[in-house]
Amino acid sequence: MISACILVKGAVMLSSFWKQNKGVKNSGLASLLLILLSITGCSVKQPHQAAIASAHPLATQAGFEILRQGGNVYDAAVAISAALAVVEPSGSGLGGGGFWLLHREYDNLDIMIDGREKAPLAAHKNMFLDTKGNANKQLSLNGVLAAGIPGMPAGLVHLSEKYGKLPLATSLQPAIRYAEQGFAIDTRHQKLLGFRKNILNQHPETAAIFLAQGEIPDKDSLLQQRDLAQTLKHMAKHGKQGFYAGSVADKLVAAVQQDNGIWTLDDLLNYQVVERKPMTGSYKNIKITSAALPSSGGIVLLEALNILENIDLGAVNNITRKHLISEAMRRAYHDRALYLGDTDYVDVPVDRLINKYYAQGLSSSIRVDKALPNEYLTGHTPEKQGGRNTTHFSIIDNEGNRVAATLSINFPFGAGLVASGTGVLLNNEMDDFVSAKNSGNGYGLVGGDANAIAPEKRMLSSMTPTFLENSGRIAVLGTPGGSRIISMVLLATLDFTAGNSPESWVKVKRFHHQYIPDQILYEKGGLSTREVEGLQALGHQLKQTYNYGNMQAVQLDKNNGSLSAASDQRGEGQASVQQIHK
Ligand code: GLY
C-alpha cells in the first residue's frame, strides 16, 4: 500500500508540474489522481477544516467563503488579501505590495511570492535630498514621489493562476462586494485616519472617499469604494493586464504625473513578481521558514535566534533574559543596517549572516551584566517614531497547506492619495529605501548603499511572514509594525518554543531593540517598573510607546490534527477555525 501511495503521489506531483507549466487550471488528471489517492487510503484527502486569522472579520469571512466554494488555501489567500485591500485600506491595498509565504503539503513545496513594490524607472539615489543634501521626509512619505510601483495586483494574479483551483474572478468576489456595498468602519480605522487626516485632506478625491467633510467619520458609518470595485472587476476580467495596462494603468499614470510624479506606463508594464526560496533555519528543535530578501525579516529573525541558541535563557532571571534578547536584537539589526538590500542589485553575505558559527561569535560579545553601547559596533544616530502600518493574515488547512502573508502600503493610508478614478491608494514604500546617509526611514531604520534607491530596485522590508514547525506542531504567523515586525515574530517564536498556544504568542508583551536608536522600546505594560529599573541598571536606555503590532496566528497540531487560531487583541481582527467539507 505504501509504495502504491508513493507512486500515486509522484503522479500527482508530475501532473501538478504539468498543470503549472501549461498554466492549466483544474487538471482532470490531477483530480483523478487525488481520487485514486483517497481510494488507496493514502494520506492526501480533501481538507475538511481550516483556520484563518486576519486583521478584519470580513477578510477572515472572505477566506472561508472561498474555501466553501471549493477553493484551496491559495484561493482563500487571494480572497483575504483582496478583502483586506478594501476593508483595511490603512494597512494594505492594490496600490501596495507584500510577501506571500506558501507551503504545499503534497509535494512539500515552500516558496515566497515576492510582490514587493519597485522603484520607478526614473527614480534615482538622490531623489529625496534637499538642497543641503539632507533627506526630505515629506517627499518620501507623502504624495506621489513616495509611491513605488505596486506589486499586490501581480501577486494576487500569480497566486491565483499558479497555485489556486478557482478562477481569479471568483476569489475576488468578496472584495468586490465589500467595495461596492460598503462596510461599517471600526474604531481602529478611525484611529488610523486620525494619524493621517491632514495628509488625506490635501487630496480632495481621497478626502471625499475616506473623510466626512474633512473630518473622521463616525464609528459604524458605511465606507463604499465604487472606483476600487471597478478596478477589482477589471482585474477579475483581464487578470494582470486589468491593472498594469489599459484604462486602469492610464489613470494611475495620469494621476501620478499630474502631481509631478515619475511613473510611466512602462513602469507598470514591466512589473513582475518573483518567486524566491524562503529563508530557512532552526532554533533548538524548531524548523523556521521565513521571508527572504528583499525582506530583512527572515535573516534578522534567524540571526537573532542563532545568537540566542548559545545562551540558556531558562537559566537566568527575567531582567537578564530581556537584556540578552535585546542584545541579540541589537546585533541582528546592526547587520541589517550594514548589509541588507535587494539581492537583484547588490551582493549580500546571506550565508554568513545566518551561519551558526557566525552567531556564536556574536553571542560571545554579549555580557550578562552590561549592555554594549552601539559605539562598539559602529553606527550613526537618527531617531524617528514607528508607525502602525501594514497587515498580516495566516491560514492553514488540516492537511498542513498554508499561507503566511504580510502586505503593506507602508504608513497608514500610504502616501495619502488615491489615483483619480481608480480607488487605488498609493503606497509610500519608497521611504523604506535609504534616502540619505545617516538618516533613518520612517521607523528610524538606518542602512547603507545596499539599500540605496535605484531604478526598478525593491526597497528593503521588515515584513516577516513565518512558519514554525517542531515534531508536534506547525505555526503560521506574522504581524504589521514596521521595524518592530521582526522583534515581535522573534518574541512569538520564543513563546512557541516554550510550548505555548497561538493565544499566548499574540499576547506576548513586546519590547524591541533595533540597534539605532540605542534604546529598548517597549509597549505600554510591556515591561514592569522593576524590569525597567533592572535594565537601566545594566546600562540600557528605555522608552515606552503605545501598544503596537497586530499579530495573526494559526496552528496545526500534527498529533491529533486539531487547528487553532488567534488574533491580536490590540487590533480588531478575527481568528476562526471552521468546518469546510464534511
Ligand atoms: N512597509 C514596511 C516594511 O516593508 O517593512
Side-chain angles (χ1 to χ4, degrees), residues 143-163:
V144 291
L145 279 182
I149 304 303
M152 168 83 121
L156 294 182
V157 175
H158 185 82
L159 187 54
S160 170
E161 290 182 349
K162 185 157 180 190
Y163 296 99

Side-chain angles (χ1 to χ4, degrees), residues 46-66:
Q46 272 290 93
H48 54 83
Q49 262 202 338
I52 302 177
S54 89
H56 199 287
L58 290 174
T60 299
Q61 286 158 34
F64 284 115
E65 179 179 325
I66 290 305

Side-chain angles (χ1 to χ4, degrees), residues 240-355:
K240 191 177 168 209
Q241 297 295 91
F243 185 91
Y244 293 91
S247 61
V248 172
D250 288 344
K251 285 181 198 163
L252 288 168
V253 170
V256 168
Q257 291 188 355
Q258 193 182 342
D259 269 3
N260 299 319
I262 56 174
W263 289 18
T264 63
L265 285 173
D266 279 343
D267 279 311
L268 291 169
L269 281 172
N270 287 353
Y271 187 88
Q272 302 282 348
V273 295
V274 182
E275 287 208 344
R276 301 194 191 270
K277 195 166 161 290
M279 298 306 308
T280 51
S282 63
Y283 175 67
K284 299 188 173 170
N285 61 348
I286 297 165
K287 180 184 173 203
I288 295 147
T289 307
S290 191
L293 288 168
S295 179
S296 61
I299 293 173
V300 176
L301 175 67
L302 289 174
E303 186 176 333
L305 287 168
N306 285 343
I307 294 171
L308 290 172
E309 217 172 25
N310 296 287
I311 297 167
D312 186 357
L313 290 176
V316 294
N317 67 36
N318 209 22
I319 293 169
T320 307
R321 181 174 183 274
K322 289 180 173 168
H323 157 64
L324 295 171
I325 294 170
S326 301
E327 289 296 315
M329 289 176 185
R330 180 204 300 274
R331 284 155 180 77
Y333 274 90
H334 174 245
D335 277 345
R336 181 194 195 279
L338 284 189
Y339 298 113
L340 301 192
D342 180 353
T343 40
D344 292 345
Y345 284 71
V346 289
D347 289 330
V348 178
V350 176
D351 291 343
R352 169 155 70 87
L353 296 177
I354 60 166
N355 183 283

